[in-house]
Amino acid sequence: MAEAVPLTIAAAASFFIALAGTGLLSRVLAEKGVVDRPNERSSHVRVTPRGGGIAVIAAVAAGFGIL
């Protein structure tokens, strides 16, 4: 049971870092003009910020750091 506590903390921290980081990063990237503009081959219909996955990578790294 004691082994589950660090895993739970790491998972929760990773989740909240990814959640907050993606939202923040999306706003910053949109302001800086780092966006995908839709074209005939796009799967989206409006301008979408690019690079939000950086926050997910940071969250995973933080989770491993906690473990």
Side-chain angles (χ1 to χ4, degrees), residues 2-65:
E3 297 87 20
V5 174
L7 183 60
T8 304
I9 292 170
S14 293
F15 173 76
F16 287 114
I17 291 169
L19 185 68
T22 302
L24 177 66
L25 195 56
S26 292
R27 282 193 300 261
V28 170
L29 291 171
E31 289 174 5
K32 299 286 184 187
V34 182
V35 294
D36 271 340
R37 304 208 186 281
N39 58 34
E40 62 277 355
R41 295 181 55 197
S42 298
S43 61
H44 54 275
V45 294
R46 60 184 174 158
V47 176
T48 305
R50 238 190 322 189
I54 296 169
V56 176
I57 293 170
V60 170
F64 278 124

